[in-house]
Amino acid sequence: MFGAKRGERTDRYDELMARQAALREEIQRRIDQHQRSIMEQLPIGGPAQTFGGSSDGILLGRDGTLTATIRLRDAHGVETQVVLRAEAGGSIEVVQPSDKGSAAASPARSLDETEERIRHVAALAREHLPAPAAEDFLAMLRPALRLVHAGEGDPVIAQLGGLPTLPINSWPVWDGHGTLSHVLSFDCAPVTELLPELGIPHDGRLAFFYFDGAYDDYQSTVGTWDPSTSPGFRVLHLHPENSTRAHITDAATPVPPGLTPFAPIAPIALTAIRTLTWPSDETPMTQAVWMKHGLVKEGSARPSEPVRALYDALWKLPGAGYNTHQIGGHPCPQQGPVEMEVEQLRRGLGGEPFAWDDPELQSAASTWQLLLQLASDDDANMMWGDVGQLYYLVSDVERPGEALFTWQCG
């Protein structure tokens, strides 16, 4: 009798090991198939590090069922989960279809530093400014998403460089000059979830482009001072069904001939930190506050020493200052207010006169909202002048495709 029971246990063990081996083979087969599929869709020199597959291992249930979760990451850094199950005496089956797991990772795990930020900023404002001025300054703070390179397990909010996913024949070109470079893309849905105050459309995907000059050996410079260069930047609001990561229908668009993409080996995945930002000390809105409270230098409109001391302290906060990728909030200029520069461009495009000290112009400049700020980034081979930054601003956040552009460097 004892021998029979021992034989039964041996048979069950052998059957379990056989199922486990078969499940391992199926896991590897699906990972290999996924990698081949992505490689076939990418141009030569496309991403080689951000896609692939892994498994959490094989779990044995009390009823003898084996289950395994496969995580498949595509060229955009988006993860799909497939759950396989192997029951005793049965074949391997998928219990969670891959198309139901293809949504972008939930941004719920993204960091939020707003509470800590408001404590520090409020303390500094009240230390350096008179109480009424400090409260007016704090009322101007705006939330934003600071974008940093994603680590293992971080939710991917944006793609820096690499190849975008575009409809056929839609890659932006500046006639007579060349092809624009893709600098960054993000899905609207997770951004609106993390930053509803920005007010951009919830659907679709935004892709940002810029003619950096490398295409024509730096013979052309895009600038707000010359409206004829405005075709050198573009923001595409891509239709949801062929752009949102949960429903991608097109592979990464091949790079146009003659153009070397930024981050050519692999696009850089960015994650988001929700934060608070403050306006530059020379914007029209802040100047109005300084004038109201007598915080300007005698005989000029420039901020007084208490204001300068406040901003010197603010730039020392972690994640403040220049060299910041950012969605929404206030821009961090490296020279004068970028809002004035894009208002200069808008007027130039419409043939309107421009004068820096025009009160009506300053009021109009205050209506511009930062959509994206993009810093120089060595890892993506991005260098905007002398370690500069790109700025895309909108006057109507519901129409991001109409954004205007400027750039500054030190």
Side-chain angles (χ1 to χ4, degrees):
M1 182 71 80
F2 178 80
K5 289 184 179 179
R6 181 177 180 181
E8 290 174 0
R9 289 197 299 269
T10 301
D11 291 342
R12 288 198 299 269
Y13 177 81
D14 290 341
E15 187 274 341
L16 179 63
M17 292 298 100
R19 270 193 296 136
Q20 184 184 53
L23 188 54
R24 281 176 176 164
E25 289 181 2
E26 180 63 10
I27 291 169
Q28 192 59 52
R29 185 190 70 80
R30 287 176 175 267
I31 291 175
D32 292 344
Q33 183 182 51
H34 170 74
Q35 292 177 326
R36 287 195 301 270
S37 176
I38 297 296
M39 287 294 293
E40 290 172 357
Q41 298 174 28
L42 294 175
I44 296 175
Q49 298 177 357
T50 61
F51 67 86
S54 62
S55 170
D56 290 344
I58 298 175
L59 300 179
L60 174 63
R62 290 185 177 181
D63 61 352
T65 298
L66 298 176
T67 58
T69 299
I70 308 174
R71 303 182 186 279
L72 304 174
R73 177 169 292 212
D74 68 14
H76 298 281
V78 180
E79 188 175 86
T80 298
Q81 294 186 14
V82 181
V83 179
L84 302 178
R85 180 173 63 195
E87 296 181 348
S91 59
I92 298 172
E93 60 180 354
V94 177
V95 295
Q96 180 178 329
S98 58
D99 60 353
K100 292 184 179 180
S102 60
S106 170
R109 293 183 290 122
S110 293
L111 297 178
D112 188 336
E113 66 178 19
T114 52
E115 291 187 9
E116 179 183 7
R117 184 70 99 195
I118 188 62
R119 287 197 302 270
H120 289 300
V121 174
L124 291 173
R126 291 163 183 155
E127 174 186 352
H128 293 284
L129 303 179
E135 297 311 308
D136 283 351
F137 171 77
L138 294 175
M140 294 187 289
L141 299 181
R142 288 179 184 170
L145 298 181
R146 188 168 76 250
L147 302 177
V148 297
H149 292 201
E152 185 68 28
D154 288 334
V156 177
I157 301 301
Q159 169 191 332
L160 182 66
L163 301 177
T165 298
L166 302 177
I168 296 174
N169 297 326
S170 62
W171 195 298
V173 174
W174 183 4
D175 289 342
H177 295 268
T179 307
L180 277 61
S181 296
H182 169 251
V183 293
L184 183 141
S185 294
F186 65 76
D187 290 338
C188 294
V191 169
T192 55
E193 182 180 342
L194 289 170
L195 192 66
E197 298 89 345
L198 183 56
I200 62 172
H202 186 273
D203 295 327
R205 183 171 175 83
L206 298 185
F208 297 80
F209 295 83
Y210 169 60
F211 188 87
D212 75 325
Y215 192 92
D216 69 349
D217 199 23
Y218 301 98
Q219 297 302 306
S220 306
T221 301
V222 179
T224 56
W225 59 87
D226 185 355
S228 70
T229 66
S230 61
F233 64 85
R234 196 81 53 84
V235 178
L236 298 183
H237 185 192
L238 302 172
H239 207 256
E241 56 257 32
N242 67 354
S243 60
T244 303
R245 287 176 173 168
H247 306 285
I248 286 178
T249 59
D250 297 330
T253 306
V255 62
L259 180 69
T260 299
F262 292 112
I265 302 301
I268 296 173
L270 301 177
T271 193
I273 301 172
R274 183 176 163 92
T275 188
L276 282 176
T277 60
W278 48 87
S280 164
D281 60 351
E282 295 183 344
T283 62
M285 67 171 66
T286 51
Q287 284 189 326
V289 171
W290 312 146
M291 293 291 292
K292 173 184 175 181
H293 297 284
L295 294 171
V296 294
K297 289 184 176 180
E298 186 176 353
S300 75
R302 296 188 64 79
S304 64
E305 288 307 315
V307 174
R308 300 304 306 164
L310 167 62
Y311 276 80
D312 287 343
L314 289 173
W315 299 140
K316 295 177 183 178
L317 293 177
Y322 309 134
N323 300 323
T324 304
H325 305 314
Q326 179 181 308
I327 297 174
H330 289 290
C332 179
Q334 292 186 252
Q335 297 177 8
V338 297
E339 298 90 342
M340 294 287 283
E341 293 184 6
V342 295
E343 178 63 18
Q344 177 187 24
L345 175 59
R346 186 195 70 79
R347 291 180 176 238
L349 291 170
E352 302 177 43
F354 176 84
W356 288 95
D357 58 353
D358 182 350
E360 192 278 328
L361 183 148
Q362 293 183 353
S363 177
S366 298
T367 65
W368 287 97
Q369 166 64 56
L370 178 69
L371 183 58
L372 175 69
Q373 173 179 296
L374 194 66
S376 297
D377 193 305
D378 289 341
D379 291 340
N381 298 328
M382 293 178 175
M383 179 60 66
W384 317 127
D386 183 12
V387 197
Q389 299 189 134
L390 310 183
Y391 306 88
Y392 298 81
L393 289 88
V394 288
S395 59
D396 182 353
V397 291
E398 295 183 354
R399 304 168 72 91
E402 297 179 0
L404 294 186
F405 166 90
T406 189
W407 70 280
Q408 294 181 351
C409 65

